Amino acid sequence: MIIVTGAAGFIGSCLIQKLNELNFNYIIAVDDFSFEEKNKNLIGKKIKERVERTQFFAWLDSNFREVEFIFHIGARTDTTEFDKAIFDDLNVNYSKEIWNRCVEYQIPLVYASSAATYGLGELGYDDDESKIPGLKPLNPYGDSKNDFDIWALQQEKKPFFWAGLKFFNVYGPNEYHKGRMASVIWHAFRQINEKGSLNLFRSHRPDYGDGEQMRDFIYVKDLIDVCIFFMEHRKNSGIYNLGTGIARSFNDLGKSTFAAMGKEAVINYIDTPIDIRDKYQYFTEANMTKLRQIGFTQPFHTLEDGVKDYVQNYLLKKAYW
């Protein structure tokens, strides 16, 4: 029995699909299932039981003996939400409850952290756990993820295996429901479809050209492969970066999307909105040495290959994974 929280969401539903493909069908899906658009991500997937997020701890207390592994992917991920209480409730305290039960019931745990913890990258993008207390996230979402990472590292009692994964810029199928918070590739595809052109943010720094701001974009299928690796590996507990280790520009992303759609690139540059301009990251790149050193050797999709698969096999077909 494998539990996936955030099961109906983008990454959670992709994880369930991969588990099904590997013949893990005894899946307990935990989420708030009141959002019909999000529930479409679960159509056709093999799930033993759906458990409402608010009922999960009572359910786990009754069924823990059967649980083999917990993937805690569920979280409030809206970087434009500034009500700290929401994040304390859903991201920090809920995660602590899961952690404490994994300790008590001896259940291994993988949970989603975020590269949002790195803020503007003043301390770099190394998953060195000694640097985590000094990180300065830029919003309450990033704060909540960092707060939990710090708390987890401070605990004397830990699950016998646990890993926190700092997701960088994830893109891929099953994010139709995310709206403003969907990946740049999803937004680019929609813009190109509707207007035949793509708007990217102009640079407001002299050391970067327009559209040359860089991010570590990781295809969700690669991210899921790392989650599965940890489920099977079950040693080397700790907090790990999860990106590709190679930063790419938004111009590269735009051109890749046009190419995957078979269209000529037409890119325009618009001013970065004033309300986010001073908090806008110009560069992120995961140091992936730590994950490689414990034995994950699989190559990651290039941006071009990942975008091509996403656009041609999912977005153009309105398909789910």
Side-chain angles (χ1 to χ4, degrees), residues 7-22:
F10 163 37
I11 295 170
S13 63
C14 288
L15 176 56
I16 292 173
Q17 175 64 26
K18 183 67 175 185
L19 287 167
N20 285 172
E21 289 175 9
L22 295 170

Side-chain angles (χ1 to χ4, degrees), residues 2 5 37 52 61 64 87 91 137 166 209 224 237 245 253-254 287:
I2 297 170
T5 73
E37 191 62 28
E52 283 292 329
D61 291 340
F64 67 88
F87 292 106
N91 292 6
K166 292 194 184 221
I224 297 305
S237 293
L253 180 151
N287 180 342

Side-chain angles (χ1 to χ4, degrees), residues 40 48 53 85 109 142 168 186-187 209 217 243 251 253 259 273:
K40 291 177 184 176
K48 184 76 174 172
R53 183 180 69 205
L109 170 69
F168 275 67
W186 184 88
H187 286 290
F217 299 103
N251 284 333
L253 180 151

Side-chain angles (χ1 to χ4, degrees), residues 1-17 19-20 24 26-33 42 46-47 49-51 53 56 59 67 69-74 94 98 110 224 227-228 231:
M1 182 190 283
I2 297 170
I3 292 170
V4 179
T5 73
F10 163 37
I11 295 170
S13 63
C14 288
L15 176 56
I16 292 173
Q17 175 64 26
L19 287 167
N20 285 172
F24 292 99
Y26 204 164
I27 308 290
I28 306 302
V30 180
D31 212 324
D32 170 358
F33 295 105
L42 294 178
K46 291 173 185 161
I47 291 166
E49 191 175 345
R50 296 187 187 200
V51 178
R53 183 180 69 205
F56 173 54
W59 181 95
V67 178
F69 206 93
I70 294 180
F71 288 103
H72 178 35
I73 309 297
Y94 198 89
I98 289 179
V110 164
I224 297 305
C227 289
I228 300 297
M231 183 180 77

